[in-house]
Amino acid sequence: MAAIFTVALTGPALANSCPKHMAAIDQALAANPKLSADQMTQVKKLRADGETLHKQGKHAESEATLAQAEAMLGIKK
């Protein structure tokens, strides 16, 4: 029974790639990318909004938002 419960809870978490995108953005931000102050603010907002959408279960919206931040950072998929 415990195994079924564990699979039921982890399945949806593994079904999306939001955390992978957030980690890639975080790694790029840690490398001090050459962005203007306005661009940096926008990337950080997109990253935060993407995480919020992820936590709300809106994974398609989250991934689209995170993709915008990745594009600004030059992250290739």
Side-chain angles (χ1 to χ4, degrees), residues 41-70:
T41 298
Q42 187 175 4
V43 166
K44 288 179 179 181
K45 182 180 181 330
L46 289 166
R47 164 58 174 87
D49 290 349
E51 183 171 3
T52 298
L53 290 165
H54 169 71
K55 288 179 179 178
Q56 293 173 347
K58 299 177 182 177
H59 301 293
E61 293 175 51
S62 173
E63 289 183 16
T65 301
L66 295 169
Q68 290 177 37
E70 288 176 319

Side-chain angles (χ1 to χ4, degrees), residues 4 9-10 13 16-17 25-26 30 34 36 39 46 49 51 62:
I4 292 170
L9 290 178
T10 58
N16 62 71
S17 59
I25 293 166
D26 292 344
K34 293 185 180 186
S36 70
Q39 290 172 317
L46 289 166
D49 290 349
E51 183 171 3
S62 173

